[in-house]
Amino acid sequence: MDFRIADTFTDSLARLTGDEQKAVKTTAFDLQVNPAGPGLSFHRIDKSKDKNFWSVRVNSDIRLIVHRAEDSLLLCYVAHHDKAYDWAERRKLETHPTTGAASWSKSGKRWSKSPFPGT
């Protein structure tokens, strides 16, 4: 399984406190080692425009938003519960039909920036 980290994840991680960042990094490591691990709590984000967005519980309030496909897991965003869900409900990961480049779309508008660093 491909494990990727989007720029939007690292940007949002930097906004959290040191203790919150530590908890998120532990959860991210657990996801990378074993995405089906028994201690991980996945919840599909029903109101999302993208059926592959899931929330992963970090603690009682912090949620990690992932894009979960059959052969890949992308860390997309992390924040306090309501803010994380709001972010995921307004976005969709799309792939350009010719180039294959990934980009976020929000409210029907495609963003040109790739979610992947260095692309």
Side-chain angles (χ1 to χ4, degrees):
M1 172 176 284
D2 286 337
F3 185 85
R4 297 183 179 170
I5 300 173
D7 282 344
T8 50
F9 171 77
T10 53
D11 292 346
S12 61
L13 179 65
R15 293 186 207 108
L16 299 176
T17 68
D19 287 342
E20 291 169 339
Q21 288 182 24
K22 183 178 178 181
V24 170
K25 290 174 183 179
T26 299
T27 302
F29 178 79
D30 291 344
L31 278 169
Q32 186 174 15
V33 171
N34 183 8
L40 297 170
S41 178
F42 280 88
H43 181 262
R44 183 182 299 274
I45 301 176
D46 297 324
K47 294 181 182 178
S48 177
K49 297 176 187 208
D50 191 320
K51 65 179 178 68
N52 291 319
F53 272 142
W54 292 75
S55 167
V56 178
R57 182 182 175 152
V58 173
N59 61 26
S60 62
D61 185 41
I62 303 292
R63 296 298 181 268
L64 195 145
I65 304 300
V66 300
H67 189 272
R68 186 170 145 183
E70 188 175 312
D71 59 349
S72 67
L73 188 70
L74 171 65
L75 301 185
C76 301
Y77 189 79
V78 64
H80 294 270
H81 185 282
D82 292 347
K83 187 173 180 181
Y85 272 70
D86 182 56
W87 185 93
E89 288 170 358
R90 294 181 292 121
R91 286 170 177 76
K92 184 175 183 179
L93 184 64
E94 295 183 341
T95 304
H96 189 278
T98 305
T99 66
S103 65
W104 298 121
S105 66
K106 178 181 174 184
S107 301
K109 296 179 182 178
R110 179 172 282 192
W111 297 357
S112 60
K113 183 178 178 186
S114 169
F116 304 111
T119 59

